[in-house]
Amino acid sequence: MNQRPQQHRPAAAAARPATTTPPDVARLANELTEVMSALLTVVEQETEFVRAGKIREAMLLEAQKSELSRRYMLAVEHLKSMQKMLSQTDPELLARLRRHHETFRAMLQVNLTVLATAHAVSEGIVRGVNAEVQRRNIPNTYTANGQRATPGPRNMTPIAVSRTL
């Protein structure tokens, strides 16, 4: 029984990719830093556009943001698999990456807050417009008791909102 696992070990070792060298890890870490910086630039632009109410301009950044996000996720996954090697070969680079990543996360949090605020404001505006439209569509009638009549579903007219700008 012990012979069987020993026979499979060389085949399993051959199936694994070649070990990554420290320069490859450093190259990947630098690539991750570059992607984070580029994504951070796009996120900052988007945040400024949304704060200024320039939603169309912010939406134009969507494709670039998606591509950079995809590259970021790939780089993070590769780097995670090599984290042990990086911590052994270049702990300073790993510490620098972590500091940069903390700054990156903080800026993403600001961006998410701005986007959530813009969403809440726009939703509030739409709800306010809807309430005003409904108020104007409801007839002012009274019952025989002198109470205000409750409008029926026939009087409730929904509004339509186009999501394209």
Side-chain angles (χ1 to χ4, degrees):
M1 264 191 162
N2 278 346
Q3 292 177 351
R4 194 171 186 111
Q6 288 174 352
Q7 290 172 350
H8 290 294
R9 283 185 186 156
R16 278 184 288 184
T19 56
T20 307
T21 61
D24 290 339
V25 174
R27 180 193 52 78
L28 186 60
N30 289 333
E31 181 182 326
L32 178 61
T33 302
E34 289 172 10
V35 169
M36 277 195 295
S37 296
L39 187 56
L40 191 57
T41 300
V42 172
V43 165
E44 287 173 342
Q45 287 176 341
E46 180 186 52
T47 301
E48 291 305 313
F49 284 145
V50 171
R51 281 183 175 159
K54 298 177 180 179
I55 305 301
R56 286 181 202 231
E57 288 86 349
M59 289 174 62
L60 293 175
L61 298 172
E62 184 177 350
Q64 186 179 7
K65 186 176 170 184
S66 293
E67 175 59 24
L68 287 169
S69 297
R70 184 189 66 75
R71 287 180 49 206
Y72 168 77
M73 291 305 294
L74 288 173
V76 166
E77 288 303 315
H78 286 143
L79 202 61
K80 276 184 182 179
S81 67
M82 295 183 238
Q83 183 177 0
K84 186 175 181 181
M85 180 187 292
L86 184 59
S87 64
Q88 291 171 351
T89 60
D90 197 349
E92 174 60 31
L93 179 60
L94 184 60
R96 214 176 17 208
L97 265 176
R98 286 186 174 147
R99 284 191 305 271
H100 191 65
H101 195 261
E102 286 303 315
T103 303
F104 179 71
R105 287 176 53 192
M107 286 305 299
L108 283 181
Q109 188 60 45
V110 169
N111 179 261
L112 290 174
T113 303
V114 168
L115 292 176
T117 302
H119 183 267
V121 168
S122 63
E123 184 176 336
I125 290 169
V126 170
R127 287 184 188 276
V129 168
N130 183 44
E132 184 63 25
V133 167
Q134 297 306 323
R135 188 183 64 75
R136 290 184 181 184
N137 286 341
I138 297 173
N140 289 323
T141 57
Y142 296 92
T143 64
N145 307 13
Q147 300 288 330
R148 188 173 189 143
T150 306
R154 180 181 82 187
N155 299 106
M156 298 296 186
T157 309
I159 63 169
V161 177
S162 173
R163 290 185 170 243
T164 59
L165 296 174

